[in-house]
Amino acid sequence: MNVRFDGQTVIVTGAAHGFGRAISLAFAERGANVWACDVNRSGLAMTEQQALERNLPLNVRVVDVADREMVREFVREAGAGERLDVLVNNAGGVLGQVGRPLEDISEDDWHAIFRVNVDGAFYFSQAAAPLMKARGSGRIVNISSGAGLGVSLTGIQAYASAKAAQIGLTRQLAHELGPFGITVNNVAPGFVRSNPTTERQWGSYGEEGQRRLVEGIALKKLGTPDDIAHAVLFFASEYAGWITGQVLSVDGGK
């Protein structure tokens, strides 16, 4: 299966490291005009540098996905040629929070995780929809988590809840946007060592915890950011033209 995106405009959020970086570079390698954004300026610069080293064109912008007007301005810039083919809502995470008892969670901590994981996906989809509707086609791919289908390995209540909400948003938008030729799907990664947060999480398990985690995976190994990027490429490709509202677990088998 030779997947190409020549001439297509692709937006990827949360592109400063991990999944977002791998997804951005994967699209650029396949001919797409990629617009990558993140609030992490230094990480975004590293993504841009890796693209330059591979001689890949990549447009990067610092964008807070929880800022609706900033999102709208970025989408207007990326779609200035009146074309937006693919939107990948990857931005998310736990924002440095750790698992704590329910009664210790502040209102600000709860809402902060929802803003980046759910509000951001909503704002970007809302801004992208008119461009896709005008062309009668488009692909939206949301990146959730196994936590949205089960429980959070770290016990972070807001993260599990936000990722479940994002899956619900995926299914709802699939039905709303389907008549316009727009598909909306979701990739739910398992545990992948992809950024500083997951490295700290991995280290916190210790040797025995790490062994148990890997043993609980059918393929008996951890995945990579490229494994997640490949699933996104499939959903964004012509091969997934009659697939929408679906959640694909990319976790090595549970």
Side-chain angles (χ1 to χ4, degrees), residues 25 35 85 92 102 110 122 141 152 156 160 172 180 191 207-208:
L25 295 175
W35 290 77
D85 300 274
L102 176 64
W110 174 265
F122 174 76
V141 185
S152 168
I156 300 175
Q172 190 65 37
F180 301 94
F191 180 79
E207 289 187 11
E208 180 58 26

Side-chain angles (χ1 to χ4, degrees), residues 18-245:
F19 300 156
R21 178 179 291 167
I23 293 166
S24 298
L25 295 175
F27 274 110
E29 286 172 345
R30 290 161 177 81
N33 177 29
V34 178
W35 290 77
C37 70
D38 203 296
V39 73
N40 181 340
R41 188 182 299 271
S42 60
L44 198 59
M46 291 178 63
T47 298
E48 183 179 31
Q49 181 59 37
Q50 288 192 20
L52 289 172
E53 290 171 358
R54 303 186 196 184
N55 197 30
L56 300 173
L58 192 71
N59 308 286
V60 299
R61 298 289 186 274
V62 175
V63 177
D64 180 356
V65 300
D67 185 323
R68 188 180 187 188
E69 188 52 42
M70 186 177 287
V71 167
R72 286 177 170 177
E73 291 177 2
F74 175 64
V75 172
R76 278 197 293 266
E77 182 183 10
E82 298 185 352
R83 176 166 190 164
L84 176 56
D85 300 274
V86 181
L87 165 64
V88 183
N89 286 310
N90 168 72
V94 300
L95 306 181
Q97 295 187 36
V98 296
R100 291 167 289 162
L102 176 64
E103 56 269 28
D104 293 344
I105 309 302
S106 72
E107 183 177 2
D108 286 344
D109 284 348
W110 174 265
H111 287 297
I113 287 180
F114 267 80
R115 280 194 294 271
V116 70
N117 288 279
V118 185
D119 294 359
F122 174 76
Y123 293 154
F124 263 94
S125 299
Q126 188 178 53
L131 286 169
M132 293 181 174
K133 285 181 177 181
R135 289 182 56 83
S137 66
R139 299 279 194 269
I140 298 175
V141 185
N142 297 322
I143 310 298
S144 61
S145 167
L149 294 169
V151 296
S152 168
L153 291 176
T154 55
I156 300 175
Q157 304 88 344
Y159 183 70
S161 301
K163 289 305 189 183
Q166 193 201 71
I167 290 170
L169 178 66
T170 297
R171 291 171 174 150
Q172 190 65 37
L173 293 185
H175 280 268
E176 178 179 343
L177 301 178
F180 301 94
I182 302 167
T183 67
V184 189
N185 289 293
N186 197 294
V187 174
F191 180 79
V192 177
R193 297 171 63 184
S194 61
N195 56 50
T197 298
T198 53
E199 283 300 316
R200 287 192 295 271
Q201 184 178 344
W202 176 252
S204 72
Y205 294 150
E207 289 187 11
E208 180 58 26
Q210 292 169 5
R211 185 192 64 78
R212 284 197 304 269
L213 190 153
V214 174
E215 283 299 310
I217 299 172
L219 291 175
K220 308 304 180 190
K221 65 177 182 178
L222 297 180
T224 69
D226 283 339
D227 290 318
I228 309 307
H230 294 159
V232 173
L233 293 175
F234 168 68
F235 273 142
S237 75
E238 61 183 14
Y239 295 99
W242 205 49
I243 301 173
T244 195

